[in-house]
Amino acid sequence: MIPIKLRIVGGGEDLLGDMNRKSANMDSLVVCFGEFLIDFVPTVGGVSLAEAPAFKKAPGGAPANVAVCVSRLGGSSAFIGKVGDDEFGHMLANILKENCVDNTGMRFDQSARTALAFVTLRADGEREFLFFRHPSADMRLHESELDINLINKAKIFHCGSISLIEEPCRSAQLAAMTIAKKSGSILSYDPNLRLPLWPSAEAAREGIMSIWEQADLIKVSEDEITFLTEGGDPYDDNVVMNKLFHPNLKLLIVTEGSAGCRYYTKAFKGRVPGIKVKAVDTTGAGDAFVGGLLSSLASDLNLFQDEKGLREALAFANACGALTVTGRGAIPALPTKQAVVDALTQYNAS
């Protein structure tokens, strides 16, 4: 294991740059759409929810995690989604503000609460979820509440599949994707499968694949490949290319946890190894990976055609994910750009 010194960033005062720098980077804006919620994480690992002696609250939700990660790495990001008009919802909005993420696209629901998720951390650092969304505010975002001007500014528009589960947020996401595509944005998609939230496995598979061919960039895990291809071998390039790669796709990424990732384009494919660390909490690792990759792509879309540059961006993204698992909670553990650079320097020197 490579020893990595990680500086955990607690608030906006520790971030790279300031709001003036953010304004200058608006032409590289990454807009993230979807859920934002409160995770309750056991204070000790390797226990069930019933066995946990106490829980620590932490902001959660993949799209919001990605937005904060991009900002913490020095990029420009915004979040669009809905939370409850309650203390948790306003706390989440403030967390985005503290992390220099544009939160003007957030909406507050007066009749539905901010979503809650209890997350168990097993001995190996992997997670199990128990959700409270009956319904939650994020599910109630309407198309009429979208910040169209903000979406039009996006160089990259990033979304997941959770908002596709129920109306009205499904229609809101589809409308936002259409607006982004018409404005010339790159559409980034991380399915982020959470099977317990879907009515059935079949509904999840159909819902996730319903927007598959609209995406320019897709990040998928090995388990998600097996699920989406109904038992296909995630390590088989033929399975990946024949069942998941589509003609308009610029880049397909398969994450392999601590082992790294694989990449597929029309012109080339390959694998980039990960950085080995001792995992404390894997919550947010995939989101940190996505944030790291999108921060690089937002600065240089030519990476889609430049394999050498893409490999460097993926090594950077791998390091973002690795550093995040060394702390508890997603947003508190997201690294700064300097922390990632230092980690890669140590890795390359070893």
Side-chain angles (χ1 to χ4, degrees):
M1 184 185 75
I2 299 165
I4 292 178
K5 183 179 180 182
L6 172 63
R7 179 167 71 93
I8 299 294
V9 179
E13 68 276 4
D14 294 320
L15 296 172
L16 294 175
D18 56 20
M19 292 306 293
N20 291 331
R21 182 258 306 162
K22 294 295 181 184
S23 298
N25 287 347
M26 283 301 288
D27 60 343
S28 299
L29 180 66
V30 177
V31 174
C32 300
F33 177 100
E35 69 278 6
F36 201 8
L37 61 148
I38 302 292
D39 285 336
F40 285 91
V41 184
T43 53
V44 296
V47 298
S48 68
L49 288 175
E51 295 168 335
F55 295 89
K56 179 181 179 180
K57 73 177 188 298
N65 293 341
V66 172
V68 173
C69 184
V70 170
S71 178
R72 196 164 290 177
L73 292 170
S76 179
S77 65
F79 174 77
I80 293 177
K82 199 171 194 180
V83 293
D85 189 9
D86 50 42
E87 288 198 24
F88 282 147
H90 290 283
M91 182 193 86
L92 293 175
N94 287 334
I95 286 172
L96 292 184
K97 186 176 181 180
E98 290 170 359
N99 283 279
C100 300
V101 176
D102 185 337
N103 67 1
T104 57
M106 287 187 72
R107 302 293 179 258
F108 298 87
D109 196 298
Q110 294 185 349
S111 58
R113 299 298 189 189
T114 301
L116 307 179
F118 287 81
V119 187
T120 59
L121 305 177
R122 301 200 307 255
D124 60 1
E126 287 299 324
R127 303 152 294 160
E128 295 176 355
F129 297 89
L130 177 62
F131 295 97
F132 287 79
R133 304 168 81 238
H134 306 292
S136 54
D138 60 289
M139 303 161 65
R140 294 165 58 92
L141 180 68
H142 290 262
E143 180 180 345
S144 61
E145 297 176 296
L146 293 174
D147 188 331
I148 296 175
N149 289 332
L150 184 59
I151 298 172
N152 280 329
K153 295 175 184 177
K155 188 168 188 177
I156 298 176
F157 181 86
H158 176 71
C159 60
S161 70
I162 304 300
S163 295
L164 297 173
I165 297 174
E166 290 192 26
E167 294 290 355
C169 57
R170 173 180 168 81
S171 291
Q173 175 166 331
L174 296 177
M177 292 174 62
T178 299
I179 295 167
K181 196 71 171 179
K182 286 182 178 179
S183 70
S185 301
I186 292 293
L187 293 190
S188 168
Y189 184 34
D190 177 2
N192 195 35
L193 176 65
R194 294 290 179 264
L195 199 51
L197 294 179
W198 292 87
S200 67
E202 183 179 351
R205 194 175 292 111
E206 181 179 342
I208 288 172
M209 297 303 295
S210 68
I211 63 170
W212 199 264
E213 295 195 2
Q214 297 181 50
D216 299 297
L217 161 64
I218 296 174
K219 172 256 174 190
V220 66
S221 70
E222 298 164 295
D223 289 343
E224 287 166 343
I225 291 176
T226 301
F227 175 78
L228 293 173
T229 61
E230 300 186 67
D233 182 356
Y235 301 101
D236 186 339
D237 285 349
N238 291 324
V239 169
V240 175
M241 292 299 292
N242 294 337
K243 295 191 175 183
L244 297 179
F245 201 92
H246 66 76
N248 298 319
L249 195 58
K250 298 180 185 298
L251 176 64
L252 176 64
I253 300 293
V254 178
T255 52
E256 301 179 337
S258 62
C261 66
R262 283 174 281 148
Y263 59 90
Y264 301 84
T265 73
K266 292 179 182 178
F268 49 77
K269 63 182 179 181
R271 184 177 178 278
V272 178
I275 293 178
K276 303 295 183 182
V277 296
K278 183 177 180 180
V280 174
D281 177 6
T282 59
T283 305
D287 304 330
F289 175 92
V290 173
L293 177 58
L294 295 187
S295 68
S296 297
L297 286 170
S299 299
D300 184 9
L301 291 180
N302 290 324
L303 293 176
F304 286 124
Q305 291 84 38
D306 175 10
E307 185 173 12
K308 181 177 181 294
L310 178 62
R311 289 183 62 87
E312 292 174 355
L314 291 173
F316 182 87
N318 281 341
C320 289
L323 290 173
T324 300
V325 307
T326 62
R328 291 193 184 276
I331 287 178
L334 292 170
T336 62
K337 186 173 184 178
Q338 189 59 52
V340 178
V341 170
D342 291 346
L344 287 171
T345 300
Q346 292 182 38
Y347 174 76
N348 292 329
S350 64

